[in-house]
Amino acid sequence: MPAVSTEVVDAPGPTRSPILTVLAAWLIPGAGHFLLGRRNRGLIVFATVLIAFLVGVLIRGPFFNPSGNGDLLSRLIQYGGFIGDLASGLPYILAAFLGYGPPDQPTHSADYGSKFLVSAGLMNVLAMVDAWEIARGEKD
């Protein structure tokens, strides 16, 4: 009869609190990866999110402003865009605090600028999920 192994293999546990990691990753893009010792990945995330955000600001893209006006689809777009803007973390908070807010004008550059601002936030959301999975030990 073959011997049954009773050896328990310990999976590597998280090195940092996943919640602290995600909060840091939201506030300062790439900070979650820095806390986890993934410095190169943290630098790439920081540079990518910051460059996309700065391009959006330099193109004078407006921030999305959630409002209760309009039909359901318009409100959904406004709230979704606002969440995308807010997901950039500290760059968005600083820009809003310092009074950045060009008027929403129907120009190509403003339209592209708002897309850059939202895409910066969405890239940061992906980085936050990545940091969460690394902190939980689900990913290397």
Side-chain angles (χ1 to χ4, degrees):
M1 179 160 202
V4 177
S5 174
T6 58
E7 180 181 330
V8 177
V9 178
D10 291 333
T15 57
R16 298 277 186 200
S17 165
I19 294 173
L20 173 68
T21 303
V22 169
L23 285 175
W26 167 71
L27 192 59
I28 301 170
H33 288 90
F34 265 88
L35 286 176
L36 296 170
R38 308 289 201 289
R39 301 203 188 283
N40 289 337
R41 192 178 291 188
L43 283 173
I44 291 170
V45 168
F46 180 76
T48 304
V49 172
L50 193 62
I51 288 171
F53 188 85
L54 290 175
V55 167
V57 167
L58 291 174
I59 297 177
R60 306 277 304 148
F63 289 144
F64 280 90
N65 208 358
S67 64
N69 302 339
D71 61 354
L72 179 63
L73 182 59
S74 296
R75 284 185 292 188
L76 184 64
I77 290 169
Q78 290 298 320
Y79 279 98
F82 173 71
I83 291 169
D85 287 341
L86 186 61
S88 295
L90 199 57
Y92 171 79
I93 293 168
L94 283 175
F97 179 74
L98 294 175
Y100 174 79
D104 189 8
Q105 300 171 350
T107 63
H108 294 297
S109 61
D111 190 39
Y112 291 139
S114 68
K115 302 317 178 257
F116 269 99
L117 293 169
V118 171
S119 66
L122 295 179
M123 285 187 280
N124 200 29
V125 168
L126 290 175
M128 289 163 48
V129 170
D130 186 50
W132 170 268
E133 290 176 345
I134 292 171
R136 297 227 7 186
E138 299 171 1
K139 183 179 180 181
D140 286 333

